[in-house]
Each structure stands twice: as C-alpha cells, then as structure tokens.
C-alpha cells in the first residue's frame, strides 16, 4: 500500500526535488508544534531520558531515536533505544558500576 | 433518518474549503440526497457566490440565531437542484454573534428533514472554528500539498482530537501530478504519512474551478472537469461507497494506467 500513490503518479523512487525538502522540513516543524515545547527543552528531555536508561542498560546512542508520532487516534512520544549486550548479567547490588565507562570498555573488549 | 453533519475545515485560508463545500453539496444532491449547506464564515460569506445564489438572500444565519427568521425562511433553494439548500452567513456581523451551542441547536432542528448538513468553516482556530465544529458528526480537513497548509492541517487535527471530533478525513486539493512526478511537490503519500489520518479525496488543480466560481456553477456540474469528478467521488465515499481513487495523470490512457497499477512495473 505504501507506494500505491507513487506508482499511480509514475514517480521514480529516487526523485530528489524540493518535495523531499518539504517533507523533512514539515517533519521537523511538526515535531515541535505537536508537543508545544521549545526545541531546547525537547533536547533536554531526550538527554534526561537517555541518562535514566543508561543507568540500567547499555545503549547504542548512535541509533537512538526519540520522536513524536501520530497514529490513528493518538499522539505518541516514541523512543527507539537500541541496546548493546542483550544477555548482560546484572548483579542487582551494583547497577551504578555496570553503567559506568570502565565496565562498558571491559565488555566491548570481551565482545571483540 | 437523521442528517449527518459534516464540517469542512482547514486552519489555513484559501485552500479550498468553500469550493469543496459547494461541490460536495451539489454532488450529494445529484446523487439523490437532501442537503443543507451552512455558511459559518460570518463576516466573509462566499458560499452563496460559488453557488450562484447571492441575489436571493433575504435572511441569514444570525437572523435565525437571534430569532428574526425561522430556519425555513432563511434557507435558499438551489436553482437547478431542488434538494439542495443554502443557509447563508451574515456579512455585516462577526463570529461572536453565534455560539457553538447555537450551531448545535440549529443543526438538531434541521437534522430530521435532511440527509446531509455540510458546514463551511472559516479559516483560523478561534470562535468561528469552534462554532463550525461543535455540531459535526464528521470533519473533513482540506489542505494543499504545501508546507504551510499541511502544518496548519496538523494543528487542526490536534484541536479536533482535543474536542473529541477527530481524527477526521483528509482532502488534498490543488494537486499537480506533473510536479509530483518531478519530485517538486508533496505527494498524497507524503501528506498522509505526515498527518497520520485517512484520505477521502485528492482533487487536482483544475482550470475549470475559477471560471466556475465566476459564473456561480460549481465544477461538479461540468462533466469535463477533473476536479468536478474528484468531488463527485468524495461525495460517494461520504455516503459510504468504496470508490477507487482517480488517477491524476491525463496523458496516460486507461490501460496504460492499469498496467502500471497492477503490473507492478518500476514506473
Ligand atoms: N482544485 C482547484 N483548482 C484550481 N483552483 C482552485 C481549486 N480549489 C480552489 N481553487 C481556488 O482557490 C481559491 C480559494 O478557494 P476557496 O474555496 O475560496 O478557499 P477557502 O474557502 O478555503 O478560503 C479560489 O479562488 C478557488 O477558485
Ligand atoms: Mg471560504
């Protein structure tokens, strides 16, 4: 269904005109319109959410995505947080150090 | 039987609300429905002009609300479609002359005798918008494939959700297939992706639209007009029919289009 219109219009998948710019500018502007908060605040919120998550699991910050989406009947704040080391053993008593830089380096060494 | 109240709104002005309301009214009436068009754009009335009924106005919406006229006295019958009526807006008053409750009451009064009540909403998100949306069973959001128009549509969709009238269905007006093909215009897919609502119609940019409002004969009455056919299809979808979307490309023949659609070629 996704490309139905495009096929009807005969548009090549790689058309690279101002239409694409229009779409990405809209996506940017609506992100903030929908939440009605300033871009700086949005960034601050993302950073804080990330800090909390990082306390408990190792996160791939490169591919992290926190954004607003609209579905049929609701507006959602959707966080896609790819994490590293799915099977990491977490001693309950020692969450802080697990999230620490030393522990991360250690683990990455093991993975390699 | 009781009428369905459909409000045509947009946020941004000039995107085609009045054109849409007039044409859907004509199309529904031609499909055998009993229709009232309500112009809620108080102070900037236009629906009478597009329908060619401006010289028949005696009473208006504010006269009804303030008790100077009965609803039936203010309704103007269309020249060629006996089941199509217009309740014109007042031209010399402002939006505060009518309240959302007035609109609900008025619609409830005429619901039993009609199939559809279409409301032409003013631009903006203030009182006039709330008046027009208050009685709605369904809302149609008109937009154009342009950044500012889509942004305003998004704002309206948010407000409709808050008023529990959402999400509404989208009409994308003034679409130019040629520009979409060149990648220079947002496509219907782009717009529905961004807005996250269902689309009920795609109306092409059409040179018949301006002459038709010059003469007061909506394009739906012109068999040659592609916009007219698009409005006709939207009317059928409003009635619950499943109608395939019109291909907007003029140059392709019917079979070429079919091939493109179903052959799945990389076109
Ligand atoms: N599909 C179309 N093709 C060409 N012109 C259009 C089309 N739709 C609307 N217009 C023109 O755009 C202008 C604004 O339309 P109108 O219906 O008055 O918008 P609104 O009620 O939203 O302010 C009018 O001059 C109208 O003739
Ligand atoms: Mg108008």
């Amino acid at each position: 269904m996704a490309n139905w219109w495009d096929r009807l219009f005969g548009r090549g998948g790689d058309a690279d005109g101002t239409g694409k710019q229009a779409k990405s500018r809209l996506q940017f502007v609506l992100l903030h319109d929908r939440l009605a908060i300033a871009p700086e605040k949005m960034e601050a919120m993302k950073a804080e959410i990330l800090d909390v998550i990082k306390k408990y699991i190792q996160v791939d910050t490169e591919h992290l995505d926190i954004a607003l989406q609209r579905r049929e009947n609701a507006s959602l704040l959707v966080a896609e947080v790819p994490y590293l080391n799915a099977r990491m053993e977490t001693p309950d008593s020692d969450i802080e150090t697990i999230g620490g830089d030393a522990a991360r380096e250690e683990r990455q060494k093991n993975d390699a | 039987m009781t009428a369905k109240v459909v409000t045509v709104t947009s946020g941004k002005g000039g995107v085609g609300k009045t054109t849409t309301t007039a044409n859907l009214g004509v199309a529904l009436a031609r499909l055998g429905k009993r229709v009232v068009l309500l112009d809620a754009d108080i102070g900037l009335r236009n629906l009478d002009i597009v329908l060619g009924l401006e010289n028949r106005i005696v009473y208006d919406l504010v006269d009804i609300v303030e008790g100077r006229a009965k609803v039936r006295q203010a309704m103007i019958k269309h020249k060629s479609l006996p089941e199509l009526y217009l309740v014109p807006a007042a031209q010399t008053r402002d939006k505060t002359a009518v309240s959302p409750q007035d609109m609900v009451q008025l619609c409830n009064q005429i619901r039993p005798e009609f199939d559809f009540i279409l409301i032409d909403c003013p631009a903006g998100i203030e009182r006039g918008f709330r008046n027009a949306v208050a009685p709605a069973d369904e809302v149609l959001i008109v937009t154009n494939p342009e950044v500012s128009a889509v942004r305003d549509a998004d704002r309206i969709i948010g407000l409709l959700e808050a008023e529990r009238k959402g999400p509404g269905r989208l009409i994308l007006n003034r679409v130019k297939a040629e520009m979409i093909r060149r990648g220079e215009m947002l496509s219907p897919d782009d717009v529905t992706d961004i807005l996250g609502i269902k689309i009920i119609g795609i109306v092409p940019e059409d040179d018949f639209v301006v002459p038709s409002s010059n003469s007061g004969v909506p394009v739906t009455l012109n068999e040659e007009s592609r916009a007219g056919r698009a409005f006709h299809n939207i009317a059928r979808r409003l009635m619950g029919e499943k109608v395939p979307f019109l291909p907007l490309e003029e140059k392709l023949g019917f079979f070429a289009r079919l091939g493109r659609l179903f052959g799945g070629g990389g076109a």
Side-chain angles (χ1 to χ4, degrees):
Chain A
M1 198 50 200
N3 274 324
W4 201 85
W5 293 116
D6 288 350
R7 259 200 276 159
L8 199 61
F9 285 113
R11 179 164 75 165
D14 47 17
D16 210 4
T18 54
K20 268 198 177 160
Q21 284 177 43
K23 188 170 184 182
S24 62
R25 289 178 68 207
L26 261 168
Q27 280 165 332
F28 175 82
V29 90
L30 293 187
L31 191 78
H32 304 295
D33 282 4
R34 283 175 188 173
L35 199 62
I37 83 174
E40 315 86 72
K41 280 197 176 167
M42 181 77 183
E43 287 311 312
M45 180 181 72
K46 279 187 193 176
E48 239 177 278
I49 291 174
L50 187 58
D51 280 345
V52 172
I53 295 173
K54 278 200 299 201
K55 271 196 197 165
Y56 299 94
I57 53 176
Q58 268 201 307
V59 174
D60 171 9
T61 37
E62 286 266 300
H63 301 102
L64 174 91
D65 184 27
I66 299 178
L68 299 173
Q69 278 185 15
R70 176 130 69 215
R71 307 255 167 95
E72 276 290 300
N73 271 312
S75 300
L76 305 173
L77 177 71
V78 177
E80 255 178 47
V81 187
Y83 57 84
L84 305 169
N85 289 357
R87 279 173 289 108
M88 92 187 168
E89 307 273 326
T90 310
D92 288 336
S93 56
D94 211 1
I95 286 169
E96 273 308 316
T97 50
I98 293 286
D101 286 342
R104 189 176 310 131
E105 273 160 28
E106 179 74 14
R107 221 169 282 111
Q108 275 159 357
K109 248 182 262 158
N110 293 345
D111 284 351
Chain B
M1 271 294 288
T2 169
K4 183 172 198 181
V5 180
V6 180
T7 297
V8 180
T9 184
S10 70
K12 189 171 174 356
V15 297
K17 293 178 292 298
T18 301
T19 306
T20 299
T21 310
N23 279 287
L24 291 184
V26 167
L28 286 166
R30 292 178 85 205
L31 288 161
K33 298 296 167 190
R34 299 163 301 169
V35 185
V36 181
L37 304 181
L38 247 168
D39 191 345
D41 201 348
I42 298 168
L44 292 167
R45 81 171 167 221
N46 268 325
L47 196 51
D48 52 328
I49 301 279
V50 177
L51 289 160
L53 298 174
E54 71 279 4
N55 54 4
R56 305 195 176 189
I57 296 175
V58 182
Y59 296 111
D60 59 46
L61 183 61
V62 176
D63 291 322
I64 299 174
V65 166
E66 295 182 349
R68 280 185 299 275
K70 295 242 162 39
V71 186
R72 275 285 172 185
Q73 289 178 297
M75 281 186 186
I76 304 162
K77 191 191 279 231
H78 189 260
K79 292 173 204 162
S80 58
L81 296 158
E83 298 288 11
L84 179 63
Y85 292 84
L86 168 70
V87 175
Q91 181 68 339
T92 53
R93 298 290 294 274
D94 69 52
K95 274 131 197 158
T96 57
V98 174
S99 72
Q101 298 92 290
D102 291 333
M103 294 293 286
V104 171
Q105 241 173 17
L106 171 59
C107 286
N108 285 343
Q109 207 181 327
I110 50 185
R111 264 180 213 265
E113 291 167 66
F114 291 90
D115 300 305
F116 283 94
I117 301 170
L118 306 187
I119 302 178
D120 186 13
C121 181
I125 54 176
E126 290 92 28
R127 178 68 165 268
F129 167 76
R130 281 186 288 123
N131 282 345
V133 163
D137 299 314
E138 163 150 28
V139 179
L140 301 180
I141 300 127
V142 183
T143 193
N144 300 151
E146 282 180 48
V147 177
S148 56
V150 175
R151 181 189 197 178
D152 288 3
D154 189 80
R155 186 79 204 284
I156 288 292
I157 294 165
L159 291 174
L160 289 173
E161 266 174 23
E163 304 237 345
R164 307 208 167 276
K165 296 285 185 180
R169 284 191 281 179
L170 187 74
I171 295 178
L172 191 60
N173 185 31
R174 311 197 73 156
V175 172
K176 297 185 187 178
E178 173 53 30
M179 288 187 73
I180 292 175
R181 192 167 33 239
R182 282 188 279 124
E184 300 291 352
M185 183 176 268
L186 289 163
S187 73
D189 263 352
D190 291 337
V191 178
T192 51
D193 256 15
I194 287 168
L195 293 179
I197 65 169
K198 295 220 166 73
I199 194 160
I200 187 174
I202 300 172
V203 184
E205 174 78 22
D206 186 337
D207 284 348
F208 284 117
V209 173
V210 171
S212 101
S213 66
N214 290 343
S215 57
V217 182
V219 277
T220 317
L221 293 167
N222 177 350
E223 301 298 334
E224 281 178 75
S225 161
R226 300 173 57 75
R229 264 180 286 155
F231 285 124
H232 182 81
N233 285 346
I234 296 170
R236 288 172 59 197
R237 292 186 194 110
L238 262 184
M239 290 165 53
E241 282 181 50
K242 277 209 154 41
V243 186
F245 282 83
L246 269 182
L248 298 179
E249 280 181 296
E250 291 173 60
K251 276 148 288 181
L252 279 179
F254 180 68
F255 288 102
R257 268 189 259 119
L258 270 187
R260 217 175 234 191
L261 256 184
F262 299 113

